[in-house]
Amino acid sequence: LSNERDFETPVAWYEDRDVKWTCYQKYCDKMFTFNQNHSPYDVVAWHGNYAPYRYDLAKFCTINTVSYDHLDPSIFCVLTSQTGEPGVASCDFVIFPPRWMVGQNTFRPPYYHKNLMSEFMGNIRGVYEAKEEGFLPGGGSLHSCMAAHGPEVSVFDKASNGNNNAVPPNNDCLAFMFESTYMLKMTPSGMNENRDQKYTDMGAWNGFKKNFNPDQK
């Protein structure tokens, strides 16, 4: 859970300096600049209820199962922006923080699924639990509406054949996700210029064997 007390807003501050400033603004995937001869921070106050804030993700109080089953990732929601339809978010901001993994008789990584929400994931640091081989820090992935996805083959094999011992948190790992009811479109830069072709060619979901057994109870 993200506690209200941990969101910090700045103390009122301003500066009155006559110096050269270059201001940058991004619009429609392009950068624009303009120059001025004084500091842009010569604002004494703002009107209304909107204010900048910051939040330390390390202060997130993690909730997880202490018995069995992999819980829905909504338990990791930091912030949400709801639509007019109950239970449907225009955007959820979710993190996957360090935590104990203790579920018994449970496939502990995120299960294979598809849903009505678009999911954009990013890895801040360390190794993400469902993609141990190619999802590097600074990388991102987009799972569009109704696109099936889940752990890599190697993660599936390890989780399916491992023991039920409790696994302590890895404090070097942190990933995040933006989840939205709206369709997300990749920019040309995201599709072509910064694509990890090696990870794409590796095929994270290639090599799965048929595991269905109607006699298994």
Side-chain angles (χ1 to χ4, degrees):
L1 299 176
S2 51
N3 295 303
E4 183 179 353
R5 64 177 181 268
D6 294 325
F7 288 85
E8 300 176 337
T9 55
V11 177
W13 175 89
Y14 70 92
E15 67 175 11
D16 184 17
R17 294 198 300 146
D18 295 325
V19 294
K20 293 182 179 180
W21 274 87
T22 300
C23 300
Y24 296 84
Q25 181 171 346
K26 185 176 182 180
Y27 179 72
C28 291
D29 205 30
K30 295 183 178 180
M31 295 296 296
F32 299 85
T33 64
F34 66 92
N35 299 316
Q36 62 184 44
N37 58 7
H38 62 91
S39 170
Y41 300 111
D42 55 355
V43 178
V44 177
W46 53 79
H47 178 71
N49 296 323
Y50 291 108
Y53 61 85
R54 68 179 183 181
Y55 175 75
D56 184 356
L57 296 179
K59 294 183 178 180
F60 187 82
C61 181
T62 310
I63 295 175
N64 203 5
T65 181
V66 295
S67 55
Y68 70 95
D69 213 349
H70 182 95
L71 302 184
D72 186 89
S74 60
I75 62 174
F76 303 126
C77 185
V78 179
L79 292 168
T80 184
S81 172
Q82 294 293 303
T83 64
E85 183 176 352
V88 178
S90 61
C91 186
D92 285 334
F93 174 58
V94 178
I95 64 170
F96 301 99
R99 60 198 183 279
W100 280 89
M101 305 291 277
V102 300
Q104 300 297 295
N105 299 317
T106 293
F107 183 74
R108 290 176 177 176
Y111 43 74
Y112 298 92
H113 67 285
K114 57 182 178 179
N115 55 29
L116 296 176
M117 305 288 276
S118 299
E119 301 177 2
F120 176 79
M121 282 201 60
N123 189 11
I124 297 175
R125 64 175 183 265
V127 178
Y128 176 57
E129 60 195 82
K131 301 176 182 177
E132 295 182 348
E133 297 184 13
F135 197 44
L136 302 178
S141 64
L142 175 62
H143 305 134
S144 297
C145 169
M146 298 305 292
H149 55 282
E152 299 170 338
V153 177
S154 59
V155 174
F156 170 82
D157 290 339
K158 184 169 67 175
S160 299
N161 299 300
N163 55 48
N164 282 322
N165 294 341
V167 178
N170 183 348
N171 293 320
D172 293 328
C173 298
L174 182 61
F176 70 89
M177 179 172 69
F178 288 104
E179 190 175 53
S180 176
T181 188
Y182 302 117
M183 298 291 290
L184 303 179
K185 182 179 178 181
M186 293 288 291
T187 64
S189 174
M191 283 294 294
N192 303 311
E193 298 177 19
N194 300 297
R195 186 173 181 175
D196 188 349
Q197 192 63 42
K198 180 180 179 181
Y199 183 67
T200 302
D201 295 340
M202 182 179 67
W205 296 300
N206 291 339
F208 275 106
K209 300 177 181 179
K210 181 180 178 180
N211 294 300
F212 179 72
N213 182 357
D215 298 324
Q216 184 175 356
K217 302 298 183 180

